[in-house]
Amino acid sequence: METMTTSLDDVRTAINHASAVAEAWAETPRSARAAGLEAVADGLEQARDVLISLAEEETGLPSGRLSAELTRTTFQLKFFGDLIREGTYLDVVIDHADDRWPAGAPRADIRRYNLPIGPVLVFSASNFPFAFSVAGGDTASALAAGCPVVVKAHPGHPQLSEMQAEIVRNALESAVGLAGVFSIIYGQDAGVAAVTDPSIKAVSFTGSYQVGRMLYDLAMSRDEPIPFYGELGSTNPVFVTEAAAHTRGGAILEEFAAAFTLGGGQYCTKPGMLIVPRGESMAEQLVGFPLPSPGRLLTSTVAAKFTDRLAILGASDGVEVLIDGRTDDPMFPRATVLKTELGAVIANPSLSEECFGPASLIVEYADFSEVLEFARRLRGQLAVGVQGAQPDAQAEALLPIVARVAGRVVWNAWPPGVSVTYAQNHGGPYPSTTSALFTAVGSGALARFVRPVAFQNVPDALLPDELQEANPLSLPRRVDGAPE
Amino acid sequence: METMTTSLDDVRTAINHASAVAEAWAETPRSARAAGLEAVADGLEQARDVLISLAEEETGLPSGRLSAELTRTTFQLKFFGDLIREGTYLDVVIDHADDRWPAGAPRADIRRYNLPIGPVLVFSASNFPFAFSVAGGDTASALAAGCPVVVKAHPGHPQLSEMQAEIVRNALESAVGLAGVFSIIYGQDAGVAAVTDPSIKAVSFTGSYQVGRMLYDLAMSRDEPIPFYGELGSTNPVFVTEAAAHTRGGAILEEFAAAFTLGGGQYCTKPGMLIVPRGESMAEQLVGFPLPSPGRLLTSTVAAKFTDRLAILGASDGVEVLIDGRTDDPMFPRATVLKTELGAVIANPSLSEECFGPASLIVEYADFSEVLEFARRLRGQLAVGVQGAQPDAQAEALLPIVARVAGRVVWNAWPPGVSVTYAQNHGGPYPSTTSALFTAVGSGALARFVRPVAFQNVPDALLPDELQEANPLSLPRRVDGAPE
């Protein structure tokens, strides 16, 4: 694989272009920005076959999955287009002047809405070469919000990145007539330089804890610190109550086997731990299954890290290796199953850190009160699953506890599969993300790239159209405290 | 003044109590939390006279201003109570399952709302001993959101802090029956220890750039970084167009003189620069006015910093001291007026840094296109004012530019006076705050202390009441993409 790198001069040029066009893109009407996103979606659809075969070659992911992911990606571009046309994300709030406002002084006329935050740097991920890559959710939501985007390509799929970038650039230029709204850069040094460039106003990142934290620290130590939306790592434990294990343990295991090997176990939402009652021999049952083949890993870096992590886990106190997935070719491991007791995980919390790849740890508990205590102390997770029955006192006690440590709580289903919807939350307390207040997927993702500005006492003719009294853009608004 | 300090053991105890009660406070019904806030407001009102005379003594601020500030503070507590009763801040979004959802895979039933983020540390400010202190906006919004609060008292008004803390504690305990939801700590070391305590989940701060950035860096370097909502400093320039200067220059100057000396010039929104056309001799006119007496400064630290800053400004190239406010007693300066040319500020941006106290810099411009360029390059501001006419091409060009660097744009009025309303935005790009995405005042302030969590496929009976299909709490919601 040829290593592509962008020179620091070219990084600076790309960011200068983004900065120079920021005002024009912010002021491009929302309908035109939406049209630009739709043009990108159309461009990707037109190149579907070649994109998918290139993705297959570069990532090793199966074409069926890639095809669904591309559909999701083009849907997502249009979804954000629809959202900005509708305009709720602008959060228009209007307070008329009120001499009797009881706050110690008269209230002036105050009107607020959201402005784009400025050029955004997007680090793309290896495991979703469409949905979390060049034209994925971060790019789509930042562009939709009115922010120019500089993508740092993931080295795992450089040709695919370049082809997607070409499509995005051309589509935006021909639909909107602005150059520099989107660009792509390659290489670690380029990424580091971009994070510290004063013209970049926010960063989104999907990747490993180590790299994510390093970039996060860089962003925070700038003269002007900027929001850093990092998705760093999550184990996504799934808890099985005694009732669930007893009534449908076999079915749960079958689904679990599919879930933790899906996409080679290379999902940020892979269930990395299954917490089961001791009496049902679920680990032993799982080993008896014909486990799915995980396929090729994404990159040699992923393979090396996976091998290392398995060695550490396998050598840890109290951990039993039921199926050692290591093979002669580290790029093609088998599904790996480890087993331990809840007490061992409580004694050694590093066991519950993410293992990226097709492995999962079955954790047996003897007493559900220990499970509740364990759940209470979990570090932040993107998702936590609960497999329960109804009624089920254990599940009832567990659900509110896991809601406090997770971005998403999944009932009798599995964490992978983060649908692009209005209510979605793909986020969670640290270290699953660096900012638990925001989602990376779904309509809420727009909020990462806008900031409020209020206008006080400004005459109607001088207000932005979005805030004018007659509501010429027909935006949803709150007026004097109530929805209009 | 006696120096009060809290031992590190007592800091740890206070935070442990906050952490222990966090679940119970989060689960206290919103109506009961609102009642708790109202009890605090009532307690403050009952002690109004003694609070105001103590505040007068400790801060030197005049009683009329303090009385209005206390009214604002008790209003604010009730305002946040009303907001949580109403529930928009919970941002309830419901997506029903949809097999035909065109995102590449069927959509599960997904429901999202906001949960409190956990114990919040509030650094109170010296210049608003009620509204930005013990029971001020940060405390009120964090408590309303369901977060326990630990206040780090400002050393400028220790007795007043203790008295307010006593009122808050008693009111919450008797109204809600929970101890540990609120506590107060004293001393720099206590504050630093609290910022780095793992049980603290967010920090709010109002104060100087130096201290704010130091605490911000501490919060970011934790094993688990946390949101830090810091308000650090802002010059709040006010631009006067040629038409405005020509038609009502005298009136503008009269208002300006009141605005920059208000509260001793110790407002975070004090207009620190007035940018005026050269031809109108506005600086000389101002010097001819009988300028208001700023009164006593808040603390000897403020006085020492003000004296130092004036010395630096006065000695800067191109700066002319029209009225030197320094007197024999640094606690009682006079209003200080400095004058320079726009070119000097462009050449030396440090001239436009905040000078906390009763001083302002008159900046003369010769050419309005230079003003636009200067505005474009301004660092982040809490507020920017524009004094214009109608029609006024200069104002029209300037307004969208200043909106990009400010949290609030004020037309023909003055930045001080941040009303507590729905649309208010008291925030702004760095360095005016450390998080331009949030406001510290108004209904949006609640958003700083909650985070989203989504529930996927969870049966109605197991969902939190807030998310149940029948909407038993009658909350505002978005369902399948549209407001209900």
Side-chain angles (χ1 to χ4, degrees):
Chain A
M1 182 190 302
E2 190 191 355
T3 303
M4 296 170 72
T5 56
T6 305
S7 73
L8 299 192
D9 275 354
D10 288 350
V11 171
R12 184 67 223 156
T13 302
I15 295 174
N16 281 346
H17 284 160
S19 187
V21 80
E23 265 185 49
W25 183 239
E27 283 165 9
T28 298
R30 288 169 291 118
S31 58
R33 294 207 302 265
L37 292 172
E38 279 151 19
V40 173
D42 292 346
L44 293 170
E45 282 299 350
Q46 278 156 28
R48 172 176 280 271
D49 293 346
V50 54
L51 286 170
I52 286 171
S53 74
L54 192 49
E56 221 179 334
E57 188 184 309
E58 287 195 309
T59 67
L61 294 168
S63 67
R65 137 76 199 271
L66 289 167
S67 179
E69 188 188 331
L70 183 53
T71 300
R72 169 200 174 144
T73 304
T74 56
F75 167 78
Q76 192 162 245
L77 287 153
K78 294 177 193 163
F79 180 70
F80 283 116
D82 291 344
L83 288 171
I84 61 170
R85 279 205 184 89
E86 189 265 345
T88 293
Y89 86 103
L90 291 170
D91 197 19
V92 175
V93 183
I94 293 176
D95 295 332
H96 291 106
D98 181 352
D99 284 344
R100 298 184 184 185
W101 187 241
R107 178 172 97 182
D109 184 283
I110 304 176
R111 292 155 190 258
R112 182 186 79 200
Y113 79 136
N114 284 329
L115 283 185
I117 199 171
V120 172
L121 173 66
V122 172
F123 282 83
S124 45
S126 62
N127 59 345
F128 281 88
F130 296 118
F132 286 83
S133 189
V134 177
D138 291 341
T139 298
S141 53
L143 286 175
C147 302
V149 168
V150 177
V151 167
K152 154 66 174 69
H154 195 281
H157 49 273
Q159 307 302 332
L160 180 65
S161 296
E162 186 58 25
M163 179 174 286
Q164 291 187 85
E166 196 62 26
I167 291 169
V168 176
R169 249 190 319 256
N170 289 341
L172 288 178
E173 283 190 30
S174 64
V176 191
L178 290 174
V181 171
F182 172 89
S183 56
I184 188 162
I185 60 176
Y186 298 87
Q188 237 173 10
D189 294 347
V192 166
V195 168
T196 51
D197 191 294
S199 295
I200 291 294
K201 296 304 182 191
V203 179
S204 72
F205 170 90
T206 311
S208 72
Y209 177 81
Q210 286 74 16
V211 176
R213 180 70 200 236
M214 182 270 286
L215 294 173
Y216 175 83
D217 288 342
L218 271 181
M220 295 307 113
S221 64
R222 291 164 44 123
D223 275 351
E224 178 188 341
I226 50 176
F228 185 99
Y229 305 108
E231 188 191 309
L232 306 192
S234 182
T235 317
N236 315 299
V238 176
F239 294 88
V240 183
T241 67
E242 289 173 7
H246 195 66
T247 53
R248 50 186 185 84
I252 289 171
L253 287 171
E254 208 162 323
E255 292 170 19
F256 171 64
F260 89 82
T261 57
L262 191 70
Q266 301 163 116
Y267 275 65
C268 41
T269 52
K270 181 198 77 173
M273 288 197 292
L274 189 72
I275 294 126
V276 302
R278 184 178 293 163
E280 306 279 340
S281 307
M282 289 181 77
E284 290 71 19
Q285 276 186 66
L286 181 65
V287 171
F289 285 8
L291 293 180
S293 162
R296 197 200 95 185
L297 295 185
L298 290 162
T299 66
S300 55
T301 310
V302 168
K305 280 193 186 172
F306 181 62
T307 306
D308 289 353
R309 181 92 180 110
L310 286 191
I312 291 170
L313 286 171
S316 298
D317 275 356
V319 174
E320 200 179 330
V321 181
L322 298 186
I323 303 178
D324 186 341
R326 286 174 292 180
T327 66
D328 290 344
D329 184 348
M331 289 294 283
F332 287 90
R334 292 187 297 148
T336 295
V337 180
L338 306 158
K339 176 187 158 183
T340 194
E341 297 286 318
L342 186 57
V345 183
I346 291 169
N348 179 7
S350 78
L351 292 179
S352 58
E353 284 167 18
E354 186 177 25
C355 172
F356 196 75
S360 197
L361 180 62
I362 315 286
V363 180
E364 292 190 341
Y365 64 83
D367 178 351
F368 205 78
S369 68
E370 267 179 35
V371 172
L372 296 178
E373 202 42 43
F374 172 69
R376 220 177 276 279
R377 288 160 194 249
L378 269 177
R379 297 191 79 186
Q381 304 289 337
L382 290 172
V384 170
V386 176
Q387 294 279 344
Q390 264 188 296
D392 187 335
Q394 291 180 344
E396 251 173 82
L398 185 58
L399 279 165
I401 293 171
V402 298
R404 276 180 223 119
V405 297
R408 183 166 50 105
V409 176
V410 181
W411 173 264
N412 288 357
W414 300 88
V418 183
S419 190
V420 179
T421 79
Y422 306 101
Q424 189 56 275
N425 189 53
H426 188 56
Y430 192 89
S432 68
T433 80
T434 55
S435 183
L437 278 69
F438 296 93
T439 175
V441 176
S443 60
L446 280 166
R448 297 175 299 168
F449 304 122
V450 294
R451 68 163 184 94
V453 61
F455 293 78
Q456 179 176 328
N457 202 33
V458 177
D460 216 52
L462 291 171
L463 283 168
D465 294 348
E466 289 84 350
L467 297 179
Q468 286 174 7
E469 187 65 17
N471 199 5
L473 304 178
S474 301
L475 291 166
R477 331 191 276 189
R478 291 183 77 81
V479 178
D480 297 328
E484 211 174 28
Chain B
M1 184 191 301
E2 191 191 356
T3 303
M4 295 169 75
T5 58
T6 305
S7 73
L8 298 190
D9 275 355
D10 288 349
V11 171
R12 184 69 223 153
T13 302
I15 296 174
N16 281 346
H17 284 159
S19 187
V21 81
E23 264 185 50
W25 183 240
E27 284 166 8
T28 299
R30 287 169 291 119
S31 58
R33 293 208 301 266
L37 292 172
E38 281 152 17
V40 173
D42 292 345
L44 293 170
E45 283 297 351
Q46 277 155 31
R48 174 177 278 270
D49 292 346
V50 52
L51 287 170
I52 287 173
S53 75
L54 192 48
E56 221 180 333
E57 186 183 314
E58 287 195 310
T59 67
L61 294 168
S63 67
R65 137 77 198 270
L66 288 167
S67 179
E69 187 188 332
L70 182 54
T71 300
R72 168 200 174 146
T73 304
T74 56
F75 168 78
Q76 190 163 246
L77 287 153
K78 293 177 192 163
F79 180 71
F80 284 115
D82 291 344
L83 288 171
I84 62 170
R85 279 205 182 88
E86 188 265 347
T88 293
Y89 86 103
L90 290 169
D91 197 18
V92 174
V93 183
I94 293 177
D95 294 332
H96 293 107
D98 182 351
D99 284 344
R100 299 183 183 184
W101 187 241
R107 178 173 95 182
D109 183 284
I110 304 175
R111 291 156 191 257
R112 181 185 81 201
Y113 79 135
N114 284 329
L115 284 184
I117 201 171
V120 172
L121 174 64
V122 172
F123 281 83
S124 44
S126 62
N127 58 344
F128 281 87
F130 297 118
F132 286 83
S133 187
V134 177
D138 291 340
T139 297
S141 54
L143 287 174
C147 302
V149 168
V150 177
V151 167
K152 154 68 173 65
H154 196 282
H157 48 273
Q159 308 302 333
L160 179 66
S161 297
E162 185 60 24
M163 180 175 285
Q164 290 186 85
E166 194 64 26
I167 291 169
V168 177
R169 248 191 320 258
N170 289 342
L172 288 177
E173 283 191 31
S174 65
V176 192
L178 289 175
V181 171
F182 172 89
S183 56
I184 189 162
I185 60 176
Y186 298 87
Q188 237 173 11
D189 294 347
V192 166
V195 169
T196 52
D197 190 296
S199 296
I200 291 294
K201 297 304 180 191
V203 179
S204 72
F205 170 89
T206 310
S208 73
Y209 177 81
Q210 286 74 15
V211 175
R213 180 71 199 235
M214 183 271 287
L215 294 172
Y216 175 82
D217 288 342
L218 271 181
M220 295 308 112
S221 65
R222 292 164 43 125
D223 277 351
E224 178 188 340
I226 50 176
F228 185 99
Y229 304 107
E231 188 191 309
L232 306 192
S234 183
T235 316
N236 316 299
V238 175
F239 295 87
V240 183
T241 67
E242 289 173 6
H246 195 66
T247 54
R248 48 185 185 85
I252 289 172
L253 286 170
E254 206 163 325
E255 291 169 20
F256 170 65
F260 89 81
T261 55
L262 193 69
Q266 301 162 115
Y267 275 66
C268 41
T269 53
K270 180 198 77 175
M273 287 198 293
L274 189 72
I275 294 127
V276 302
R278 185 178 292 163
E280 305 279 341
S281 306
M282 290 181 77
E284 290 70 21
Q285 277 187 65
L286 182 66
V287 170
F289 284 10
L291 292 179
S293 163
R296 198 198 95 186
L297 294 185
L298 289 161
T299 66
S300 55
T301 311
V302 167
K305 282 193 185 171
F306 181 62
T307 305
D308 288 353
R309 183 91 180 108
L310 285 192
I312 292 171
L313 285 171
S316 298
D317 275 357
V319 174
E320 197 180 332
V321 182
L322 298 188
I323 303 179
D324 186 342
R326 286 174 291 179
T327 65
D328 289 344
D329 184 349
M331 290 295 282
F332 288 90
R334 291 186 299 147
T336 295
V337 180
L338 307 159
K339 177 188 158 184
T340 193
E341 296 288 316
L342 186 57
V345 183
I346 292 170
N348 179 9
S350 79
L351 291 180
S352 59
E353 285 168 17
E354 186 177 26
C355 172
F356 196 75
S360 197
L361 180 62
I362 315 287
V363 180
E364 291 188 343
Y365 64 85
D367 177 352
F368 204 77
S369 67
E370 268 180 35
V371 172
L372 296 178
E373 202 42 43
F374 172 68
R376 223 178 274 278
R377 287 158 194 251
L378 268 177
R379 299 193 76 185
Q381 303 289 337
L382 292 171
V384 171
V386 177
Q387 295 280 344
Q390 260 187 300
D392 187 336
Q394 292 181 342
E396 252 174 78
L398 185 59
L399 279 165
I401 294 172
V402 297
R404 279 180 220 117
V405 297
R408 183 165 51 105
V409 176
V410 180
W411 172 265
N412 288 357
W414 300 88
V418 182
S419 190
V420 178
T421 79
Y422 306 101
Q424 189 56 274
N425 190 52
H426 187 57
Y430 191 88
S432 68
T433 80
T434 56
S435 183
L437 278 70
F438 296 94
T439 175
V441 176
S443 61
L446 280 165
R448 298 175 297 169
F449 303 121
V450 294
R451 69 163 185 93
V453 60
F455 293 79
Q456 178 176 328
N457 201 34
V458 176
D460 216 54
L462 292 171
L463 282 169
D465 294 348
E466 288 84 350
L467 296 179
Q468 286 174 8
E469 187 65 17
N471 198 4
L473 303 178
S474 301
L475 290 166
R477 331 191 275 189
R478 291 183 78 80
V479 178
D480 297 327
E484 215 175 26

